[in-house]
Amino acid sequence: MDISKGKKIIDFNREQKERINRELERFYVQSGATYGSTLQFGSWDYVKMIASKFSVLSVFLPMKDKELGALLYHTKEISYMLVNSAIPQANRNFAYCHELYHAMNPGKMLLKHGLEMFLDMDYQDSEDEKMANAFAGGLMMPEEKIKGAYAAFQKESESVQETTARTAECFGAPFAAAAIRIFELGLCNDAGELEKLLNMRKEEIYKLYEKYWLNTEHLKPSGSNQFASLKKLMETQAVKLQEEDLLSDKDAKYILRKLEQLYREIGEER
């Protein structure tokens, strides 16, 4: 990432800190999660439960497009979040949190077209996207928790790169997102170090993780595929609606056929 862009993101996050914190507080209240807690991405049930509090059905699918982080289909009744499990797990987690913000705050694009997409770690310039990214960073790396973790790791680390890698691994966050969060909170203020962190390539980050015995699984895709579960759920709902005379057999078959078609278009072939 270009250093000037990184600095603009950090400046924006600092300027909007109060606003971002209000959104995080609203998330914790509405989700029922403990304030300042982190999300448990190791549990599908937990992830689905959190999303359902915002009328969102979340599904992990391996997608053909490796730059696509997540898609959010919005309707008046419910939104469908399709998260790409073919990208690194840390990036998948960030994409999920990014889309949660949009589910809580459907912007003009989502309300008009019913669709919002997040390109993997692409920090876009619109205010809505910058807010979603800042929210994702704050949700994945709560302020008090990351301050404590960074201070502890800093004492044991040889460099800012090592401290950042340990912090990113601790929270299951993308390396670049951890770097931005660290600098926006003023835990490190060396512009030269920031430039080094943002310019690190995927291969360099992987080697850094290996060097310090960190969990490299965060840097790999999980490939989780919940399409079968989604299809079964949709079939069950269709039967229920038919029994209540709210959906015809013809429409039910059409919806399920469209679901299969969508999966063939975006799903990764295995």
Side-chain angles (χ1 to χ4, degrees), residues 5-136:
K5 186 171 185 177
K7 287 181 177 178
K8 287 180 181 178
I9 294 167
I10 291 167
D11 288 342
F12 176 87
N13 292 357
R14 287 174 174 172
E15 291 166 4
Q16 300 298 324
K17 183 175 181 177
E18 289 187 12
R19 183 179 167 194
I20 295 163
N21 284 343
R22 285 197 299 270
E23 291 297 330
L24 289 168
E25 185 175 355
R26 184 159 71 94
F27 165 83
Y28 286 115
V29 170
Q30 193 169 337
S31 69
T34 304
Y35 185 83
S37 62
T38 53
L39 299 187
Q40 302 165 25
F41 285 99
S43 168
W44 282 0
D45 285 340
Y46 180 82
V47 170
K48 287 188 290 184
M49 180 273 289
I50 289 293
S52 68
K53 298 295 181 71
F54 302 94
S55 298
V56 174
L57 177 63
S58 61
V59 182
F60 292 151
L61 296 172
M63 301 181 190
K64 295 175 183 176
D65 189 340
K66 301 304 184 294
E67 292 188 11
L68 184 60
L71 294 170
L72 185 67
Y73 291 92
H74 181 69
T75 70
K76 291 182 179 179
E77 293 77 22
I78 190 170
S79 296
Y80 299 89
M81 187 197 302
L82 307 181
V83 187
N84 191 358
S85 60
I87 62 175
Q89 293 179 47
N91 298 43
R92 176 206 66 186
N93 299 347
F94 190 92
Y96 174 89
C97 295
H98 175 105
E99 292 302 348
L100 271 182
Y101 175 85
H102 287 302
M104 291 170 58
N105 302 278
K108 293 179 181 178
M109 178 69 72
L110 197 57
L111 292 173
K112 183 176 181 179
H113 302 287
L115 175 66
E116 201 283 332
M117 65 178 64
F118 172 65
L119 299 179
D120 184 24
M121 293 310 297
D122 181 14
Y123 284 81
Q124 298 177 40
D125 291 330
S126 75
E127 182 165 324
D128 205 32
E129 290 302 299
K130 287 191 287 188
M131 279 296 297
N133 285 331
F135 174 87

Side-chain angles (χ1 to χ4, degrees), residues 10 14 147 150 180-189:
I10 291 167
R14 287 174 174 172
K147 283 181 176 178
Y150 187 86
I180 286 172
R181 186 72 170 142
I182 286 166
F183 276 80
E184 76 179 61
L185 293 175
L187 304 181
C188 182
N189 294 299

Side-chain angles (χ1 to χ4, degrees), residues 1 18 37 86 88 92 105-106 117 150 154 165 190 196 198 204 214 220 228 233 252 266:
M1 182 188 298
E18 289 187 12
S37 62
R92 176 206 66 186
N105 302 278
M117 65 178 64
Y150 187 86
Q154 191 176 34
D190 188 323
K196 290 178 185 177
L198 296 182
E204 293 174 318
L214 303 180
K220 302 174 184 177
L233 175 63
I266 69 172

